[in-house]
Amino acid sequence: MKKSGTGAKERTEQDIPARLIDARIEQLGDWRGETLARVRTLIREADPDVVEDVKWRKPSNAMLGVPVWEHDGIICTGETYKDKVKLTFAKGASLEDPSRLFNASLDGNVRRAIDFREGDTIDEKALKALVRAAVALNTSKA
């Protein structure tokens, strides 16, 4: 564990990205925050060993960055836009998607995404299966 300074409470490296994601969810304060929080919970349930990170922090995204979930490589990212929450699977084109969750970035050779819009219902069982498949793919190549 790392200490952040004299007298400061100990925290793991994982705490900082988790707090940034918490702050992002809270800042959104609407259906997008609720959706991001829900998919985050489902990802954690599907893979208890998932590592959260925040990447690509830059002025164009107000230095908040993009939530990233990893296990022996990136599983997926969670971006928020005005009209959607986009869950992009880094190796989505290599994953079976029998429930047809992927509805965006379908023409690429590597990535696939799921766009969640206000009012959409999340197929929790299918999303967890997709996360587990992504982890299996990552660990098979690790």
Side-chain angles (χ1 to χ4, degrees), residues 79-90:
E79 297 175 89
T80 53
Y81 298 92
K82 288 181 181 179
D83 64 340
K84 65 186 163 227
V85 173
K86 180 181 282 294
L87 200 61
T88 303
F89 283 74

Side-chain angles (χ1 to χ4, degrees), residues 5-80:
T6 307
K9 117 181 181 185
E10 287 186 10
R11 53 183 133 141
T12 65
E13 289 182 27
Q14 182 65 15
D15 289 338
I16 295 168
R19 288 181 186 174
L20 289 171
I21 295 170
D22 290 341
R24 178 70 177 145
I25 289 167
E26 185 176 326
Q27 180 197 36
L28 287 165
D30 60 12
W31 69 269
R32 296 169 302 157
E34 292 170 12
T35 301
L36 185 59
R38 187 66 196 137
V39 297
R40 178 191 198 192
T41 297
L42 295 171
I43 292 165
R44 290 168 151 181
E45 289 174 359
D47 180 19
D49 295 325
V50 72
V51 174
E52 292 187 319
D53 200 356
V54 176
K55 297 184 186 278
W56 309 293
R57 295 177 71 195
K58 55 189 175 184
S60 65
N61 61 28
M63 298 304 287
L64 294 172
V66 176
V68 177
W69 292 275
E70 302 176 316
H71 186 141
D72 289 333
I74 294 176
I75 299 168
C76 60
T77 63
E79 297 175 89
T80 53

Side-chain angles (χ1 to χ4, degrees), residues 99-119:
S99 297
R100 299 169 120 6
L101 293 181
F102 291 132
N103 60 10
S105 305
L106 300 175
D107 53 356
N109 293 329
V110 181
R111 293 183 298 277
R112 293 285 185 273
I114 305 167
D115 286 350
F116 297 101
R117 300 187 186 281
E118 188 171 11

